[in-house]
Amino acid sequence: MSLTLDEIQKIARLARLRVTPEEATQLQSHFSGLFALVDELQAIDTEGVLPMSHAQDIALRLREDKVTETDRRDALQAVAPQVEKGLYLVPKVIE
Amino acid sequence: MQNATLKQLAEALASKAASSEELAQDYLTRINALNPDLNAFITIDADKSLNEARAADARRAQGQAGLLTGVPLAHKDIFVAEGWRSTCGSKILSNFVSPYDATVVARCKTAGLVNLGKLNCDEFAMGSSNENSAYGVVKNPWDRLAVPGGSSGGSAAAVAARMVPAATGTDTGGSIRQPASFCGITGIKPTYGIVSRYGMVAYASSFDQGGPMAQTAEDCALLLNVMAGFDELDSTSLERAPEDYTRELDTPLAGLRIGLPKEYFAEGLDGEVAAAVLAAVEEYKKLGATVVDVSLPRTRMAIPTYYILAPAEASSNLSRFDGVRYGHRAAEYTDLNDMYEKSRSEGFGEEVKRRILTGAYVLSHGYYDAYYLKAQKVRRLIAEDFQRAFEVCDVIMGPAAPTAAFDLGSRASDPLQMYLEDVYTLSPNLAGLPAMSVPAGFTRTGRPIGLQVVGNYFSEAKMLGLAHQYQQVTNWHQQAPVL
């Protein structure tokens, strides 16, 4: 199967990425090769096989509901592009 | 001292033949001399490293030294380290100085190991040649025209060039084993869940696993003793009693059953690699092992399975890079969405974008069942194939890669071709099994060849032991490039 250039742009929007028309063309050719390989999976009989999402069948651990973290806000915000009074600044979302 | 192993360095420190500061200084001198050419390191900070070394010497003077206290190593730049720039090989993290330590980094610190810097790698560990780093390609110390492999290419090149005695690496689809093979060093990807992923920046969380890379299997065992262990900060860390991974180093190999999967020796395998791997198996027979043919019938199908599941997980993991809390933010934007799109598009390299888009596609409405769910089912079949094989053998052996290191630039224009060459390393990640690469020879042109060993879950000690026994009767691992 192959993706149309419009489909590639749509996926890019979903992934919050910009794709130039040249990049979209290259991606189209990459996807067509990759999905030709992927389509070979359809020939494998997986009737009744449980999907494997993880290497170990373990249940997620629970912990006591108590505060364990110390306040490291200043250190963690020191690496942010833009902060003010302990808040992350982003472009206005709600008018 | 240049070719000294971790073990020898530990002995030199214990006998006071050298101080940690002297060792760190010697290695930093060599790093500074070789790095402009090889580019194995992204970040070097001599002051920081020497401070750690002096602290290790002080600790030893107080009688508080552990086995590896004062021994130097370096970390793949996928592991964040407090106060160190931690880039993941990506432009998007070019200004990120980590406010915390990865658990692996913290455990190394606690053991007194001295960090000599952050090692180059493919961006977010996505690649098999180290050509996807935003900080430039790494050259293979054995042949500067060749790639070091990837994604832990800086780690492998630095150990091979003796810029460090050992390094940490990570392996999602072969990223420890293939560069170890290409650079002629020893590296092991442990059973999934043994080494904490906390602070090891996520690519594909259900496959990612950290591990040691060094000259010898014995050194890998010593370093794995430091790296492995339960961590409550990693939700998939396994709660198991601590193990001594050196405990089987001296175990004789009589009776060891080696499985050779016929699919690992089929069409596509380079003749020189096949010959070196089979010669290594002959060596094991002399050590008392027996050989049995096994089959891993879905080996080739591991490629599409992996290249659906790993990008799916990557697209989700890498959504955290949004230019808000850390990392690159575009200089100009019109609104929030524009800021996300510009920041991410400027910050991510081509291969990372390809994998994010692949993942977003296979997870999207209408394709989830046909691709993602189908691949998860085949993943289980592949894991079951291994268990069937382990009914008749103790370990599986084969090549780590179809060829020795290829030329820089020779695969860069065709990412799919590069994916196909991961064929021997992907399956153990899908199953979560431990797997390693052990130096086993050279091509006529002098490029190293690695023997891959795959064990059953939690058999690291046995694998390291059988690699150590092989290294007692061969000297491939002792050979170093002339630099």
Side-chain angles (χ1 to χ4, degrees), chain A residues 8 11-19 27 30-31 34-35, chain B residues 90 92 123-124 126 202-203 307-322 340 343-345 347-364 419:
Chain A
I8 288 170
I11 298 161
R13 276 195 300 281
L14 290 172
R16 300 290 184 266
L17 288 172
R18 291 269 165 83
V19 170
L27 282 162
H30 173 71
F31 282 143
L34 179 62
F35 283 96
Chain B
S90 181
I92 210 161
E123 185 177 4
F124 290 107
M126 299 182 197
Y203 154 26
Y307 279 101
I308 290 174
L309 297 177
E313 295 188 22
S315 73
S316 169
N317 275 324
L318 272 63
S319 65
R320 64 174 55 108
F321 298 100
D322 56 7
Y340 289 153
S343 303
R344 287 164 62 79
S345 302
F348 290 139
E350 263 181 65
E351 181 60 23
V352 170
K353 285 182 199 165
R354 262 195 291 275
R355 294 198 194 186
I356 291 174
L357 292 170
T358 306
Y361 176 61
V362 300
L363 290 174
S364 66
Y419 297 177

Side-chain angles (χ1 to χ4, degrees), chain B residues 247-291:
Chain B
R247 70 182 187 276
E248 293 199 40
L249 290 180
D250 297 323
T251 304
L253 301 188
L256 178 78
R257 298 170 304 166
I258 297 171
L260 294 185
K262 61 172 189 271
E263 294 80 5
Y264 277 52
F265 296 89
E267 199 192 330
L269 178 61
D270 175 81
E272 286 185 283
V273 174
V277 167
L278 291 172
V281 172
E282 284 306 310
E283 206 61 55
Y284 273 102
K285 282 189 192 166
K286 286 188 213 157
L287 292 168
T290 57
V291 171

Side-chain angles (χ1 to χ4, degrees), chain A residues 1 3 7-8 11-19 23 26-27 30-31 33-35 37-46 49-58 60-61 69 72 75-76 79-82 88-93, chain B residues 97 99 191-192 206 230-232 234-237 239 300-301 303-305 308 323-327 329 333 335-339 341-342 344-345 354 356-358 360-362 367 370-371 374 376-377 379-381 415-416 419-420 430 432:
Chain A
M1 69 145 290
L3 277 83
E7 284 174 311
I8 288 170
I11 298 161
R13 276 195 300 281
L14 290 172
R16 300 290 184 266
L17 288 172
R18 291 269 165 83
V19 170
E23 286 171 332
Q26 283 170 10
L27 282 162
H30 173 71
F31 282 143
L34 179 62
F35 283 96
L37 190 62
V38 164
D39 285 339
E40 291 182 36
L41 289 180
Q42 304 307 330
I44 299 177
D45 181 7
T46 53
V49 178
L50 282 176
M52 179 175 170
S53 58
H54 215 270
Q56 305 281 347
D57 286 320
I58 47 166
L60 288 180
R61 291 184 303 277
E69 293 298 308
R72 297 202 62 214
L76 296 173
V79 292
Q82 226 184 335
Y88 293 101
L89 295 191
V90 295
K92 198 174 202 178
V93 183
Chain B
V97 176
T191 304
Y192 181 90
S206 82
F230 172 66
D231 179 15
E232 61 180 18
D234 170 1
S235 62
T236 60
S237 174
E239 289 188 78
R300 188 165 177 276
M301 285 300 99
I303 304 168
T305 304
I308 290 174
V324 176
R325 290 156 300 161
Y326 38 71
R329 179 186 285 199
Y333 38 82
D335 57 22
L336 186 63
N337 210 40
D338 192 46
M339 187 192 88
E341 291 190 355
K342 278 194 185 137
R344 287 164 62 79
S345 302
R354 262 195 291 275
I356 291 174
L357 292 170
T358 306
Y361 176 61
V362 300
Y367 300 101
Y371 294 132
K374 182 76 183 180
Q376 282 193 316
K377 290 176 181 176
R379 180 180 184 184
R380 185 173 300 278
L381 293 176
L416 196 59
Y419 297 177
L420 296 177
L430 291 169

Side-chain angles (χ1 to χ4, degrees), chain B residues 61 80 112 157 190 192 261 265 267 310 365 386 406 426 438 444 472 483:
Chain B
V80 302
Y192 181 90
F265 296 89
E267 199 192 330
H365 182 71
F386 275 108
F406 45 85
L426 297 174
V438 185
R444 280 185 304 273
Q472 302 310 296
L483 294 166

Side-chain angles (χ1 to χ4, degrees), chain B residues 77-371:
Chain B
D77 211 9
I78 289 291
F79 292 99
V80 302
E82 187 171 353
W84 287 82
R85 189 165 74 124
S86 300
T87 71
C88 297
S90 181
K91 192 178 157 195
I92 210 161
L93 287 175
S94 59
N95 61 1
F96 181 72
V97 176
S98 178
Y100 71 106
D101 277 331
T103 295
V104 161
V105 171
R107 292 183 70 101
C108 287
K109 258 189 201 172
T110 304
L113 285 153
V114 173
N115 180 10
L116 293 183
K118 305 299 293 295
L119 294 160
N120 208 337
C121 56
D122 283 300
E123 185 177 4
F124 290 107
M126 299 182 197
S128 313
S129 67
N130 217 121
E131 292 168 299
N132 297 336
S133 168
Y135 302 87
V137 300
V138 176
K139 290 181 193 160
N140 190 317
W142 288 96
D143 183 339
R144 287 169 175 76
L145 296 177
V147 301
S151 66
S152 310
S155 303
V159 174
R162 309 302 191 234
M163 298 158 94
V164 287
T168 56
T170 65
D171 190 316
T172 305
S175 284
I176 286 176
R177 290 159 285 157
Q178 185 253 26
S181 170
F182 281 12
C183 290
I185 65 159
T186 310
I188 183 166
K189 176 202 96 70
T191 304
Y192 181 90
I194 279 187
V195 171
S196 170
R197 293 181 299 106
Y198 181 72
M200 191 180 104
V201 178
Y203 154 26
S205 310
S206 82
F207 307 108
D208 295 342
Q209 186 62 196
M213 302 172 78
Q215 291 173 42
T216 66
E218 182 174 38
D219 281 359
C220 284
L222 290 170
L223 191 49
L224 189 56
N225 275 350
V226 174
M227 294 173 74
F230 172 66
D231 179 15
E232 61 180 18
L233 298 173
D234 170 1
S235 62
T236 60
S237 174
L238 297 172
E239 289 188 78
R240 305 180 79 247
E243 271 189 56
D244 176 8
Y245 294 101
T246 67
R247 70 182 187 276
E248 293 199 40
L249 290 180
D250 297 323
T251 304
L253 301 188
L256 178 78
R257 298 170 304 166
I258 297 171
L260 294 185
K262 61 172 189 271
E263 294 80 5
Y264 277 52
F265 296 89
E267 199 192 330
L269 178 61
D270 175 81
E272 286 185 283
V273 174
V277 167
L278 291 172
V281 172
E282 284 306 310
E283 206 61 55
Y284 273 102
K285 282 189 192 166
K286 286 188 213 157
L287 292 168
T290 57
V291 171
V292 54
D293 289 328
V294 296
S295 177
L296 298 170
R298 280 166 275 253
T299 294
R300 188 165 177 276
M301 285 300 99
I303 304 168
T305 304
Y306 175 86
Y307 279 101
I308 290 174
L309 297 177
E313 295 188 22
S315 73
S316 169
N317 275 324
L318 272 63
S319 65
R320 64 174 55 108
F321 298 100
D322 56 7
V324 176
R325 290 156 300 161
Y326 38 71
H328 173 74
R329 179 186 285 199
E332 285 175 27
Y333 38 82
T334 54
D335 57 22
L336 186 63
N337 210 40
D338 192 46
M339 187 192 88
Y340 289 153
E341 291 190 355
K342 278 194 185 137
S343 303
R344 287 164 62 79
S345 302
E346 290 168 6
F348 290 139
E350 263 181 65
E351 181 60 23
V352 170
K353 285 182 199 165
R354 262 195 291 275
R355 294 198 194 186
I356 291 174
L357 292 170
T358 306
Y361 176 61
V362 300
L363 290 174
S364 66
H365 182 71
Y367 300 101
Y368 181 87
D369 285 4
Y371 294 132

